[in-house]
Amino acid sequence: MFNSLLKDTNHRQVLFFCITIILFSFIITLLSDLFSINFISTSFIKTLGKTLCLCVIALSMDVVWGYCGILSLGHFAFFGLGGYMIGMWLMYKRTEIIVLTASISESLPLTPQEISDAIGNQIFGVVGGSEIPLIWAYADNFYFQLAMVILIPGLLAFVFGWLAFRSRVTGVYLSILTQAMTLALSLYLFQNDSGLRGNNGLSGLQNIPGYDDTSQFVISIYFFWASALFLILVFIFFFYLVNSKFGSIITAIRDDETRIRFLGYHVESYKLFVFVLTAVISALAGALYYPQAGIINPAEIAPIASIYLAVWVAIGGRGNLYGAIIGAASVSLISSWFTSGQAPSISLIFYKIEWVNWWTVILGLGFVIVTLISREGIFGFLKSIFIRKV
Amino acid sequence: MNIYRYIDLFVDGISLSSIYFLGAIGLAITFGVMRVINMAHGEFIMMGAYTGYVVQQYIPNHTISILIALPLAFIITFGAGVLLERLVIRHLYKNPLDTLLATFGISIALQQLAKNIFGTQARPLTAPSWLDGALSINDDLSISYIRIAIILMGILFLLLLLFIMNRTRLGLEIRAVTQNPIMASNMGINPDRINMLTFGFGSAIAGIAGVAIGLFSKVTSELGTEYIVQSFMTVVVGGVGNIFGTLAGAALIGFLQKIIEWFNPSNTLAAQTYMIIFIILFIQFRPRGIFALKGRVKDV
C-alpha cells in the first residue's frame, strides 16, 4: 500500500519536501551541537526559525493570492495579532513569576490584589498606568490565550472578509481596503491606552515561563524544530487542499470569478473560507515567530510589512507553494544578511559602498526586474531551465 | 460654546481636506484615470519636498526660492514619472496588480536613495516669513496664514486640473485614450504618447504638492509613506476616475477626522483609526465610491 502511495507524483513531492525540511533541521541541530555551541550562534538559529515562520505566512499568502486571486495587503495584521495574543501570556506569566520571587523575602505573603497591582505596575508603568486592562483578564491562562491566537484574528478576518466579499469589493479596491485595515490596526495599537503598551509593544517574549533554567540556546532549538514541523504540516495541508476539487474551484475563481458564479458556486463563501483559513494560519505562524523575535510592536504590522510579503511570494513564484517558500526564505535571509552589516563593503576610489545603505535600493530594483521579466518568479524561471534540459 | 468654535472646526476640516486633496490629486490621475497603482506616488511627493529644500540651500530668500522650487519640482517629477512609465509601467498595463509590486520596488529604492543622499534627520523647508502668524478674528478664532495658503493651493490645483482635463487638447486626448484607446488611436491620437504624458503629468502634480506639503510637515525620506495609504483611500472613497470624486473623498475624510478629533482632542491616533474603520464600512455600501462611474465598468 505504501508503494502505491509513492507512485502518485503528488505524494512523492510531499514526501520529498518533508524529508528535505527534516534533513535540513537535523543538519542545523547537529552542526550546532557537535561543534562548539558558537559554531552556529543562538541568534542565527533564531533567524532560521523565524524564517521558517515567514515561510508559513508566505504559504498562506500564496494560497489566498496565488491560488484564489485575492491580493490581500493585510495578512501581517493577522500574523502580528497572533504574536500579540501569545505575547500577552508570555509577558504576564513572566512578570508574575518575577513579582512572586521578589515577594519571597517579605514577611507577609502578598494578597492577590497586591500581586495583580505589582504586575500591572511592572507591565503598564511604561505607558503611565498600573491597572490591568480588561483584555488581559485571562492572560495568565495559556490555553485561553492560545485559543485567542486563533479566535481574534479569525474573527477579524471573518468580519472584514464577510463585509468585503459580500459587497463584491474585488481587485485593486480590496487590496487598498485590506491595507487600510492593517493601517487602522497598527494605528490603534500605537495608542498608549489600547491596553497593549502602545508603541513599546510587548517585550521579553524570548523568556518562556517555566523554562527559566533552560538556556536560550536550547529554547531556540526547540522553537526551530517547532517552526520546521509547523511548516511541514501547513505545507502538507495546503498541498492537498490546492490539489483537491476545492483547489480547482478557488483557482477558477481567480481566473474568472463571474463564470464560476454563473456555474452555480457561491463564490463569496469560498473566498471567505480561504481568507479566514489563511488568516488563522498566519496568526499561528505569528505566535511561533514572536517568541523567537523576543519583541513585538505595532510597527511590525504597518502596511509595508504586508506589501513585502506579497513581494516575497511574487519573487518566489505565485500560484506555486514551493515558489512562496523559496521567495520568503531567500529574500528575508539575504536581506537580514545585508542589513546586519555582515556583508563586506566595497571600496571604490571615490566612494565606499556600504551594503546597509544600498541593499534596499538593489532589492527594490530587483522587485521591478522580476516583475518585468518573469510573472512566475524564481521558481518559474528555474522550472523553465529544468524543463528545457529534459 | 459659541459659533466661532464651529467656524474654527470648519476651517480645520477644510485645511486637512486640502492636505489630503493635495496628496491624492496626482493619484486621481495615475490611478483614477489610468488605473495604474503607483506605490511610488508618495516618493514623488517626497521628491518635490526635497527639491524645495535643495533650492532653499542655494537661494536664501524664501519667497523667491518657493517660486523657483514649484516649477522645478514640476519638471523633475515630470521627468521621473515619464521615465518610470517608459521603463516599467508601459510593460504592465494589462496587469494592474503587477504595477503595484513593481512600483513598490521603485518606492523603497527611492526612499533609500533619499536616505543615502539627505540622511535620516528631517530637513527644514521653511515657509516665507509673510506666511508666519495668523489671521486673528477674535480670541476664539484665529486662522494661521499657512492654513489659508494650503486651502488656496488646493483650490488652485482643482481649478488647474479641471481646466487641463476639460478645456485643453491634452485633456481631451487623455479622456479619449482612457475611455477607449483603440478608438482614440483610430482618430489619430497616439495612446502610447498620451499614456506617457498623463503619467508624467500625474507625477508632476504630486511633485508640486510635495513642495506645499513640505512647508508644514517635516521633510524626511519617509514623507511619502505617510501619505500613500490615505491618498489611495481618498481616491477610492471619492470614486475612481473623477476629479470631483477625489475632492469629495478628501473632504469626507478630512472633516470626519477633525470631527472625531474634536470629541477626543487628546488622541489623534484614535481619530485616524476610527476614520479608517468608517471608510472600510463606507466602501461596503458604496463599493465604487461617492461618485461611481455609470454603466457597466469592467472590474480592474
Side-chain angles (χ1 to χ4, degrees), chain B residues 2-293:
Chain B
N2 61 43
I3 186 83
Y4 293 110
R5 294 275 306 274
Y6 290 106
I7 296 177
D8 190 44
L9 177 69
F10 182 72
V11 174
D12 255 353
I14 292 189
S15 66
L16 188 67
S17 302
S18 309
I19 294 169
Y20 282 139
F21 183 68
L22 286 178
I25 188 114
L27 266 190
I29 297 174
T30 52
F31 175 58
V33 178
M34 294 176 77
R35 302 296 165 88
V36 170
I37 310 175
N38 182 17
M39 295 300 284
H41 176 77
E43 276 56 49
F44 288 134
I45 295 180
M46 173 197 80
M47 240 186 235
Y50 272 122
T51 307
Y53 164 74
V54 171
V55 170
Q56 278 197 344
Q57 299 310 298
Y58 292 102
I59 300 166
N61 185 320
H62 290 162
T63 312
I64 297 173
S65 70
I66 293 292
L67 288 179
I68 292 175
L70 287 171
L72 196 64
F74 186 92
I75 294 166
I76 289 175
T77 44
F78 182 84
V82 167
L83 205 64
L84 181 60
E85 203 273 343
R86 284 290 91 179
L87 292 177
V88 181
I89 291 168
R90 186 160 62 111
H91 306 285
L92 300 171
Y93 278 125
K94 289 200 181 89
N95 308 300
L97 291 177
D98 279 355
T99 60
L100 189 154
L101 298 177
T103 50
F104 174 69
I106 300 280
S107 154
I108 58 170
L110 285 178
Q111 248 180 67
Q112 186 62 45
L113 272 179
K115 219 175 271 175
N116 292 352
I117 297 170
F118 296 102
T120 45
Q121 72 272 43
R123 300 290 179 169
L125 176 58
T126 323
S129 54
W130 46 268
L131 276 179
D132 294 342
L135 178 73
S136 27
I137 292 166
N138 60 23
D139 289 343
D140 281 324
L141 183 63
S142 75
I143 308 164
S144 63
Y145 287 123
I146 195 129
R147 265 205 239 157
I148 298 173
I150 292 163
I151 295 170
L152 288 179
M153 190 94 93
I155 295 170
L156 192 73
F157 267 62
L158 178 67
L159 294 178
L160 184 75
L161 204 61
L162 282 175
F163 176 75
I164 290 175
M165 290 302 276
N166 296 331
R167 289 276 179 273
T168 63
R169 179 86 199 168
L170 178 69
L172 181 74
E173 293 185 356
I174 289 174
R175 282 180 291 139
V177 169
T178 47
Q179 277 171 18
N180 192 335
I182 295 167
M183 193 53 103
S185 66
N186 284 345
M187 296 292 164
I189 299 168
N190 181 357
D192 218 31
R193 183 177 144 267
I194 292 299
N195 277 336
M196 181 183 83
L197 288 180
T198 315
F199 195 83
F201 180 56
S203 311
I205 288 194
I208 297 191
V211 179
I213 287 173
L215 288 177
F216 57 85
S217 74
K218 291 174 199 140
V219 183
T220 67
S221 58
E222 265 127 38
L223 181 72
T225 43
E226 289 168 30
Y227 284 92
I228 189 77
V229 182
Q230 266 95 342
S231 299
F232 270 111
M233 282 194 298
T234 308
V235 176
V236 168
V237 164
V240 167
N242 190 322
I243 294 166
F244 283 111
T246 308
L247 183 70
L252 178 73
I253 293 178
F255 272 99
L256 198 71
Q257 191 177 328
K258 278 296 162 195
I259 290 169
I260 300 172
E261 267 176 40
W262 196 56
F263 286 115
N264 185 4
S266 62
N267 205 336
T268 53
L269 280 177
Q272 282 190 40
T273 314
Y274 297 133
M275 192 247 326
I276 296 170
I277 292 171
F278 173 82
I279 289 170
I280 292 175
L281 290 174
F282 180 82
I283 299 272
Q284 310 305 322
F285 298 104
R286 290 200 73 101
R288 294 276 172 268
I290 300 171
F291 288 87
L293 284 180

Side-chain angles (χ1 to χ4, degrees), chain A residues 22-233:
Chain A
I22 289 176
L23 264 182
F24 169 73
S25 312
F26 261 118
I27 291 169
I28 295 292
T29 318
L30 282 179
L31 280 180
S32 57
D33 242 20
L34 275 183
F35 302 96
S36 70
I37 281 176
N38 292 330
F39 184 72
I40 290 184
S41 66
T42 309
S43 70
F44 186 63
I45 290 182
K46 281 187 175 171
T47 307
L48 286 179
K50 283 191 290 185
T51 308
L52 291 172
C53 295
L54 293 178
C55 290
V56 174
I57 188 178
L59 279 178
S60 304
M61 184 69 193
D62 197 17
V63 170
V64 79
W65 179 35
Y67 285 92
C68 197
I70 306 168
L71 176 50
S72 157
L73 295 179
H75 262 56
F76 249 93
F78 308 123
F79 188 82
L81 270 182
Y84 262 105
M85 290 305 136
I86 204 72
M88 282 162 75
W89 175 73
L90 287 167
M91 201 164 172
Y92 187 93
K93 206 70 187 165
R94 184 176 145 72
T95 317
E96 191 179 57
I97 291 171
I98 293 172
V99 167
L100 291 179
T101 331
S103 70
I104 288 175
S105 53
E106 293 186 27
S107 50
L108 278 171
L110 294 175
T111 61
Q113 184 58 42
E114 279 174 325
I115 293 176
S116 130
D117 284 348
I119 294 172
N121 254 328
Q122 282 263 343
I123 297 181
F124 299 104
V126 67
V127 287
S130 64
E131 286 203 6
I132 297 179
L134 205 61
I135 50 170
W136 288 69
Y138 296 98
D140 61 334
N141 188 330
F142 173 67
Y143 297 102
F144 180 83
Q145 287 304 130
L146 198 61
M148 287 298 118
V149 168
I150 296 169
L151 283 179
I152 299 280
L155 200 68
L156 176 66
F158 181 81
V159 171
F160 180 86
W162 186 75
L163 284 170
F165 298 138
R166 191 187 56 110
S167 49
R168 299 202 186 159
V169 181
T170 50
V172 179
Y173 299 94
L174 189 76
S175 304
I176 292 168
L177 215 56
T178 49
Q179 205 177 22
M181 175 198 73
T182 186
L183 180 69
L185 187 67
S186 82
L187 286 176
Y188 177 77
L189 290 174
F190 262 121
Q191 298 170 65
N192 279 342
D193 53 3
S194 67
L196 289 164
R197 306 204 335 147
N199 64 349
N200 305 290
L202 307 180
S203 54
L205 309 184
Q206 73 277 23
N207 306 301
I208 314 298
Y211 290 86
D212 295 326
D213 303 331
T214 323
S215 71
Q216 274 298 312
F217 175 71
V218 176
I219 289 178
S220 68
I221 293 275
Y222 284 163
F223 268 101
F224 174 68
W225 272 95
S227 310
L229 293 177
F230 186 55
L231 175 63
I232 289 174
L233 280 178

